[in-house]
Amino acid sequence: LHTMRARSKSPRRSSGGARARKSSPGKVNNRSPGSQYRTNVVHVEELRENSRPVRYECTSTGIISNPTRILTSKEAAESYASISHSEDLAQRPASSAIAAVVFGWLYKIFLPEGYPRSVSSDYLPYQIWDTIQAFCSTVTGILASKSALAGLGVGNVEARVGAALYFAIVKRNIGKVSRIAFTTLKGSDLDNNAKTWRVVADVLNDLASALELLAPWLCVAGSDCSEQWHYSLLVIAAEVFRSVVGVAGGASRAALTQHFAVKDNFGDVNAKDGSQEMFVEIVGSFVGLQLSHMEGKGSVFAFALFTLFHIAANVQACRAVALLTLNRQRAHILCSHFLLNRAVRTPAQVAAEESVAYFGGSGVRGTRICMGATLPAIAAACDVPSTIRKSARANYLVGETTTSGALSMRREILVGFHVDATSEDFLRGYMHAFMLAKGGFSTEQVVRKVDQLLDILPAHGWRLDAAHVGPGTTRLSWDQDQAV
């Protein structure tokens, strides 16, 4: 069929031509046996040479019938969509049509394909706060860059190019070493506490910018800053912080992006997030350039103000994310509510209680939970076999020991995992240890409560195929058919 405009004058009948008319809503059409439609019936007549017109009936439900053949649902949908869209554009004013085109392009540039169905429900609130923090971070970065350039000798006739280059190379290499060291020490924890490390990364980034902003003030007027040890110390510390920011910020952002990509579209979501950030940085750079003309206390005040907004926006962005996987802190919240009133919290409810400044711990004062313990350590800690759990549903062992300190007693719960342990086993083992740490329950009661809780978690939106509870790397092997 040729492209047709709704409500246009009927064309003359000619070979290969086509015409269409749209009947009023609610009108019943009974021209084809058994076809009754009450929603926007569209009639299309195709004129064939040396033959009578063939009539089709197209409805919004995508069904087209005629006395001779039935079109496919795809053909029906395309025919109805072309007529309805043409009529809609014809009725729109020019300004609305232009606005629709502009918003369509913005939608395509900055949002993942298929939005909002292609991302999780917390994507939009997170991106709003993330946009605010990116803008503030860009402004503070511009203000700090001005001071950093002044420290390198820009505008100072006494500064030497060779000394500045040497200092820049040393500073950069120290930053790279710091990056490697941080990855070695904390790399495995970045997935477990993505929200916390996201906030830590941005706080360190602000701290690095503050050091770069204040460092030139320590230089003697008219001298080369790179040759003064106190200036060098501050700038190198800022470089170390930025190295940590690069690792922690990138890894935590990737973990959050993986959460948003619910349609296996991680690449698209990540790319569009980069486009949003680049656009915000462009806008923020112009604002930063205007503020860079400020000197003295005015520059410091502007830096402090945007830094506060930056940190607050980061905290709100992380609190807006309701992760569906469990780490230690979310497991603490779930188990505590379940033990108290047998209530199971949803991911959104847990996110409202979750702290973005969690750095580990068992959640019980005076108790340490050791995941991935060795079999000799567990056996040495347990004098009574009943304190060790081993069942057909779980591939882990739990042992408990108490040590006396100078001022208090310290309790330690050891959890070891079988070589065949899965993510669900990691969660079972950690929840078992946490409920034992809370106290007031026998081993059999804890086993039963853990099983009940994990069985109903998927119905409340939780995923059990990933466990970020730090299970360690040590795995054990034992005969599953023998008693411990």
Side-chain angles (χ1 to χ4, degrees), residues 121-122 319-324 345-354 460 462:
S121 59
D122 51 1
R319 289 182 64 86
V321 179
L323 295 175
L324 307 182
R345 313 291 280 179
T346 64
Q349 292 172 328
V350 171
E353 300 182 36
E354 188 178 7
H460 289 78
W462 293 100

Side-chain angles (χ1 to χ4, degrees), residues 136-379:
C136 296
S137 178
T138 303
V139 174
T140 56
I142 294 293
L143 296 176
S145 297
K146 177 187 175 182
S147 297
L149 292 175
L152 290 175
V154 176
N156 184 6
V157 296
E158 299 295 332
R160 293 181 300 172
V161 177
L165 178 62
Y166 175 79
F167 177 72
I169 293 175
V170 171
K171 181 184 69 171
R172 187 177 302 174
N173 287 335
I174 292 177
K176 291 179 180 179
V177 173
S178 303
R179 184 186 184 101
I180 296 173
F182 176 78
T183 303
T184 304
L185 295 175
K186 292 295 183 180
S188 60
D189 192 52
L190 297 177
D191 284 322
N192 299 337
N193 301 295
K195 291 185 179 183
T196 297
W197 285 111
R198 175 63 195 277
V199 174
V200 168
D202 287 299
V203 171
L204 291 179
N205 182 66
D206 290 335
L207 184 57
S209 298
L211 293 178
E212 291 179 347
L213 181 70
L214 299 176
W217 290 16
L218 302 178
C219 296
V220 178
S223 63
D224 190 353
C225 292
S226 61
E227 296 180 353
Q228 301 182 28
W229 68 269
H230 45 272
Y231 169 84
S232 301
L233 184 62
L234 290 180
V235 174
I236 289 176
E239 185 67 21
V240 171
F241 290 153
R242 291 199 187 280
S243 300
V244 175
V245 170
V247 178
S252 58
R253 181 180 289 271
L256 295 179
T257 303
Q258 185 66 55
H259 161 73
F260 296 135
V262 298
K263 299 295 184 181
D264 294 329
N265 55 340
F266 174 84
D268 185 29
V269 174
N270 188 54
K272 295 303 172 59
D273 180 71
S275 298
Q276 296 172 22
E277 187 170 356
M278 289 181 185
F279 178 77
V280 173
E281 288 178 354
I282 292 173
V283 177
S285 63
F286 287 108
V287 176
L289 286 174
Q290 296 300 319
L291 296 177
S292 65
H293 298 295
M294 303 173 65
E295 300 290 345
K297 295 182 179 179
S299 177
V300 175
F301 175 78
F303 178 87
L305 181 63
F306 279 97
T307 297
L308 290 176
F309 284 139
H310 178 229
I311 296 176
N314 264 292
V315 172
Q316 292 300 322
C318 290
R319 289 182 64 86
V321 179
L323 295 175
L324 307 182
T325 56
L326 290 172
N327 65 353
R328 293 195 177 195
Q329 183 183 193
R330 291 188 283 276
H332 297 167
I333 297 173
L334 279 174
C335 291
S336 297
H337 282 282
F338 186 76
L339 292 176
L340 183 63
N341 50 24
R342 298 187 61 83
V344 179
R345 313 291 280 179
T346 64
Q349 292 172 328
V350 171
E353 300 182 36
E354 188 178 7
S355 172
V356 296
Y358 174 76
F359 297 97
S362 64
V364 180
R365 185 181 297 274
T367 302
R368 176 176 177 265
I369 298 177
C370 178
M371 301 284 282
T374 62
L375 190 58
I378 297 175

Side-chain angles (χ1 to χ4, degrees), residues 44-167:
V44 179
E45 291 184 5
E46 179 183 358
L47 303 182
R48 299 177 180 175
E49 188 175 5
N50 300 327
S51 64
R52 64 181 180 85
V54 179
R55 187 179 183 84
Y56 303 91
E57 295 176 357
C58 173
T59 72
S60 59
T61 58
I63 304 175
I64 299 181
S65 62
N66 67 84
T68 58
R69 73 184 184 94
I70 299 178
L71 299 184
T72 64
S73 59
K74 182 178 180 180
E75 293 173 326
E78 291 176 351
S79 300
Y80 180 76
S82 63
I83 296 174
S84 299
H85 181 64
S86 299
E87 179 181 0
D88 184 55
L89 289 179
Q91 294 177 347
R92 284 184 181 180
S95 58
S96 299
I98 295 175
V101 172
V102 172
F103 279 108
W105 276 104
L106 292 176
Y107 184 98
K108 184 176 182 180
I109 293 172
F110 296 115
L111 293 176
E113 184 178 356
Y115 174 87
R117 295 181 300 275
S118 60
V119 293
S120 59
S121 59
D122 51 1
Y123 176 81
L124 182 58
Y126 169 83
Q127 288 298 337
I128 292 175
W129 288 111
D130 188 57
T131 299
I132 296 174
Q133 71 85 19
F135 174 81
C136 296
S137 178
T138 303
V139 174
T140 56
I142 294 293
L143 296 176
S145 297
K146 177 187 175 182
S147 297
L149 292 175
L152 290 175
V154 176
N156 184 6
V157 296
E158 299 295 332
R160 293 181 300 172
V161 177
L165 178 62
Y166 175 79
F167 177 72

